[in-house]
PDB file of all heavy atoms in Angstrom:
ATOM      1  N   VAL Z 147       1.964  11.625  10.217  1.00  0.00           N
ATOM      2  CA  VAL Z 147       1.185  11.428  11.429  1.00  0.00           C
ATOM      3  C   VAL Z 147       1.689  10.155  12.089  1.00  0.00           C
ATOM      4  O   VAL Z 147       1.935   9.149  11.418  1.00  0.00           O
ATOM      5  CB  VAL Z 147      -0.333  11.292  11.121  1.00  0.00           C
ATOM      6  CG1 VAL Z 147      -1.085  10.816  12.344  1.00  0.00           C
ATOM      7  CG2 VAL Z 147      -0.892  12.620  10.649  1.00  0.00           C
ATOM      8  N   LEU Z 148       1.884  10.214  13.387  1.00  0.00           N
ATOM      9  CA  LEU Z 148       2.398   9.055  14.105  1.00  0.00           C
ATOM     10  C   LEU Z 148       1.285   8.343  14.857  1.00  0.00           C
ATOM     11  O   LEU Z 148       0.338   8.968  15.314  1.00  0.00           O
ATOM     12  CB  LEU Z 148       3.456   9.497  15.117  1.00  0.00           C
ATOM     13  CG  LEU Z 148       4.674  10.219  14.554  1.00  0.00           C
ATOM     14  CD1 LEU Z 148       5.551  10.737  15.691  1.00  0.00           C
ATOM     15  CD2 LEU Z 148       5.466   9.272  13.670  1.00  0.00           C
ATOM     16  N   ILE Z 149       1.423   7.025  14.942  1.00  0.00           N
ATOM     17  CA  ILE Z 149       0.557   6.263  15.829  1.00  0.00           C
ATOM     18  C   ILE Z 149       1.457   5.607  16.865  1.00  0.00           C
ATOM     19  O   ILE Z 149       2.468   4.995  16.523  1.00  0.00           O
ATOM     20  CB  ILE Z 149      -0.221   5.180  15.057  1.00  0.00           C
ATOM     21  CG1 ILE Z 149      -1.201   5.823  14.070  1.00  0.00           C
ATOM     22  CG2 ILE Z 149      -0.980   4.273  16.028  1.00  0.00           C
ATOM     23  CD1 ILE Z 149      -2.000   4.821  13.263  1.00  0.00           C
ATOM     24  N   ASN Z 150       1.122   5.778  18.118  1.00  0.00           N
ATOM     25  CA  ASN Z 150       1.894   5.199  19.212  1.00  0.00           C
ATOM     26  C   ASN Z 150       3.355   5.588  19.206  1.00  0.00           C
ATOM     27  O   ASN Z 150       4.243   4.743  19.362  1.00  0.00           O
ATOM     28  CB  ASN Z 150       1.775   3.668  19.202  1.00  0.00           C
ATOM     29  CG  ASN Z 150       0.483   3.223  19.859  1.00  0.00           C
ATOM     30  OD1 ASN Z 150      -0.246   4.045  20.398  1.00  0.00           O
ATOM     31  ND2 ASN Z 150       0.209   1.942  19.819  1.00  0.00           N
ATOM     32  N   ARG Z 151       3.562   6.866  19.026  1.00  0.00           N
ATOM     33  CA  ARG Z 151       4.918   7.392  19.162  1.00  0.00           C
ATOM     34  C   ARG Z 151       4.787   8.882  19.400  1.00  0.00           C
ATOM     35  O   ARG Z 151       3.994   9.536  18.715  1.00  0.00           O
ATOM     36  CB  ARG Z 151       5.712   7.130  17.881  1.00  0.00           C
ATOM     37  CG  ARG Z 151       7.133   7.674  17.922  1.00  0.00           C
ATOM     38  CD  ARG Z 151       8.015   6.863  18.857  1.00  0.00           C
ATOM     39  NE  ARG Z 151       9.381   7.296  18.797  1.00  0.00           N
ATOM     40  CZ  ARG Z 151      10.344   6.640  18.137  1.00  0.00           C
ATOM     41  NH1 ARG Z 151      10.060   5.524  17.500  1.00  0.00           N
ATOM     42  NH2 ARG Z 151      11.569   7.103  18.097  1.00  0.00           N
ATOM     43  N   ASP Z 152       5.582   9.371  20.319  1.00  0.00           N
ATOM     44  CA  ASP Z 152       5.439  10.765  20.703  1.00  0.00           C
ATOM     45  C   ASP Z 152       6.698  11.533  20.364  1.00  0.00           C
ATOM     46  O   ASP Z 152       7.699  11.454  21.059  1.00  0.00           O
ATOM     47  CB  ASP Z 152       5.170  10.833  22.222  1.00  0.00           C
ATOM     48  CG  ASP Z 152       4.752  12.226  22.650  1.00  0.00           C
ATOM     49  OD1 ASP Z 152       4.693  13.123  21.789  1.00  0.00           O
ATOM     50  OD2 ASP Z 152       4.481  12.415  23.845  1.00  0.00           O
ATOM     51  N   VAL Z 153       6.653  12.268  19.250  1.00  0.00           N
ATOM     52  CA  VAL Z 153       7.779  13.117  18.878  1.00  0.00           C
ATOM     53  C   VAL Z 153       7.255  14.556  18.829  1.00  0.00           C
ATOM     54  O   VAL Z 153       6.238  14.831  18.200  1.00  0.00           O
ATOM     55  CB  VAL Z 153       8.360  12.722  17.508  1.00  0.00           C
ATOM     56  CG1 VAL Z 153       9.485  13.660  17.126  1.00  0.00           C
ATOM     57  CG2 VAL Z 153       8.850  11.284  17.535  1.00  0.00           C
ATOM     58  N   LYS Z 154       7.970  15.411  19.512  1.00  0.00           N
ATOM     59  CA  LYS Z 154       7.512  16.784  19.669  1.00  0.00           C
ATOM     60  C   LYS Z 154       7.262  17.446  18.316  1.00  0.00           C
ATOM     61  O   LYS Z 154       8.056  17.335  17.399  1.00  0.00           O
ATOM     62  CB  LYS Z 154       8.572  17.578  20.430  1.00  0.00           C
ATOM     63  CG  LYS Z 154       7.999  18.631  21.354  1.00  0.00           C
ATOM     64  CD  LYS Z 154       9.098  19.280  22.196  1.00  0.00           C
ATOM     65  CE  LYS Z 154       8.572  20.530  22.889  1.00  0.00           C
ATOM     66  NZ  LYS Z 154       7.465  20.231  23.822  1.00  0.00           N
ATOM     67  N   GLY Z 155       6.127  18.136  18.209  1.00  0.00           N
ATOM     68  CA  GLY Z 155       5.850  18.910  17.008  1.00  0.00           C
ATOM     69  C   GLY Z 155       5.221  18.126  15.872  1.00  0.00           C
ATOM     70  O   GLY Z 155       4.931  18.677  14.829  1.00  0.00           O
ATOM     71  N   ILE Z 156       5.031  16.828  16.062  1.00  0.00           N
ATOM     72  CA  ILE Z 156       4.445  16.024  14.992  1.00  0.00           C
ATOM     73  C   ILE Z 156       3.081  15.490  15.445  1.00  0.00           C
ATOM     74  O   ILE Z 156       2.953  14.964  16.550  1.00  0.00           O
ATOM     75  CB  ILE Z 156       5.373  14.847  14.625  1.00  0.00           C
ATOM     76  CG1 ILE Z 156       6.732  15.399  14.188  1.00  0.00           C
ATOM     77  CG2 ILE Z 156       4.763  13.997  13.531  1.00  0.00           C
ATOM     78  CD1 ILE Z 156       7.736  14.342  13.832  1.00  0.00           C
ATOM     79  N   PRO Z 157       2.073  15.651  14.599  1.00  0.00           N
ATOM     80  CA  PRO Z 157       0.731  15.191  14.958  1.00  0.00           C
ATOM     81  C   PRO Z 157       0.734  13.696  15.241  1.00  0.00           C
ATOM     82  O   PRO Z 157       1.463  12.940  14.577  1.00  0.00           O
ATOM     83  CB  PRO Z 157      -0.118  15.499  13.719  1.00  0.00           C
ATOM     84  CG  PRO Z 157       0.726  16.278  12.793  1.00  0.00           C
ATOM     85  CD  PRO Z 157       2.134  16.237  13.253  1.00  0.00           C
ATOM     86  N   LYS Z 158      -0.063  13.278  16.178  1.00  0.00           N
ATOM     87  CA  LYS Z 158      -0.007  11.866  16.563  1.00  0.00           C
ATOM     88  C   LYS Z 158      -1.294  11.356  17.173  1.00  0.00           C
ATOM     89  O   LYS Z 158      -2.132  12.135  17.652  1.00  0.00           O
ATOM     90  CB  LYS Z 158       1.114  11.670  17.587  1.00  0.00           C
ATOM     91  CG  LYS Z 158       0.884  12.455  18.883  1.00  0.00           C
ATOM     92  CD  LYS Z 158       2.131  12.550  19.721  1.00  0.00           C
ATOM     93  CE  LYS Z 158       3.123  13.585  19.270  1.00  0.00           C
ATOM     94  NZ  LYS Z 158       2.877  14.966  19.678  1.00  0.00           N
ATOM     95  N   VAL Z 159      -1.460  10.062  17.110  1.00  0.00           N
ATOM     96  CA  VAL Z 159      -2.554   9.391  17.795  1.00  0.00           C
ATOM     97  C   VAL Z 159      -1.917   8.394  18.748  1.00  0.00           C
ATOM     98  O   VAL Z 159      -1.167   7.512  18.309  1.00  0.00           O
ATOM     99  CB  VAL Z 159      -3.469   8.642  16.813  1.00  0.00           C
ATOM    100  CG1 VAL Z 159      -4.531   7.873  17.564  1.00  0.00           C
ATOM    101  CG2 VAL Z 159      -4.103   9.609  15.823  1.00  0.00           C
ATOM    102  N   LEU Z 160      -2.185   8.556  20.011  1.00  0.00           N
ATOM    103  CA  LEU Z 160      -1.563   7.674  20.999  1.00  0.00           C
ATOM    104  C   LEU Z 160      -2.616   6.800  21.663  1.00  0.00           C
ATOM    105  O   LEU Z 160      -3.669   7.297  22.068  1.00  0.00           O
ATOM    106  CB  LEU Z 160      -0.850   8.506  22.065  1.00  0.00           C
ATOM    107  CG  LEU Z 160       0.250   9.431  21.540  1.00  0.00           C
ATOM    108  CD1 LEU Z 160       0.777  10.333  22.664  1.00  0.00           C
ATOM    109  CD2 LEU Z 160       1.380   8.611  20.954  1.00  0.00           C
ATOM    110  N   ILE Z 161      -2.339   5.529  21.710  1.00  0.00           N
ATOM    111  CA  ILE Z 161      -3.203   4.647  22.468  1.00  0.00           C
ATOM    112  C   ILE Z 161      -2.576   4.525  23.847  1.00  0.00           C
ATOM    113  O   ILE Z 161      -1.488   3.971  23.995  1.00  0.00           O
ATOM    114  CB  ILE Z 161      -3.309   3.262  21.806  1.00  0.00           C
ATOM    115  CG1 ILE Z 161      -3.952   3.413  20.420  1.00  0.00           C
ATOM    116  CG2 ILE Z 161      -4.137   2.329  22.668  1.00  0.00           C
ATOM    117  CD1 ILE Z 161      -4.016   2.127  19.634  1.00  0.00           C
ATOM    118  N   ASP Z 162      -3.242   5.090  24.812  1.00  0.00           N
ATOM    119  CA  ASP Z 162      -2.662   5.125  26.154  1.00  0.00           C
ATOM    120  C   ASP Z 162      -2.941   3.823  26.876  1.00  0.00           C
ATOM    121  O   ASP Z 162      -3.929   3.688  27.595  1.00  0.00           O
ATOM    122  CB  ASP Z 162      -3.245   6.299  26.930  1.00  0.00           C
ATOM    123  CG  ASP Z 162      -2.699   6.326  28.349  1.00  0.00           C
ATOM    124  OD1 ASP Z 162      -1.705   5.616  28.627  1.00  0.00           O
ATOM    125  OD2 ASP Z 162      -3.255   7.067  29.181  1.00  0.00           O
ATOM    126  N   SER Z 163      -2.055   2.870  26.685  1.00  0.00           N
ATOM    127  CA  SER Z 163      -2.281   1.590  27.352  1.00  0.00           C
ATOM    128  C   SER Z 163      -1.966   1.679  28.832  1.00  0.00           C
ATOM    129  O   SER Z 163      -2.249   0.758  29.594  1.00  0.00           O
ATOM    130  CB  SER Z 163      -1.475   0.479  26.679  1.00  0.00           C
ATOM    131  OG  SER Z 163      -0.217   0.949  26.287  1.00  0.00           O
ATOM    132  N   GLY Z 164      -1.395   2.800  29.243  1.00  0.00           N
ATOM    133  CA  GLY Z 164      -1.058   2.997  30.658  1.00  0.00           C
ATOM    134  C   GLY Z 164      -2.253   2.822  31.568  1.00  0.00           C
ATOM    135  O   GLY Z 164      -2.189   2.109  32.583  1.00  0.00           O
TER     136      GLY Z 164
END
Side-chain angles (χ1 to χ4, degrees):
Chain Z
V147 169
L148 300 173
I149 294 179
N150 279 354
R151 179 72 175 257
D152 191 359
V153 178
K154 215 174 167 62
I156 302 179
K158 62 195 79 81
V159 176
L160 301 173
I161 297 176
D162 178 13
S163 38

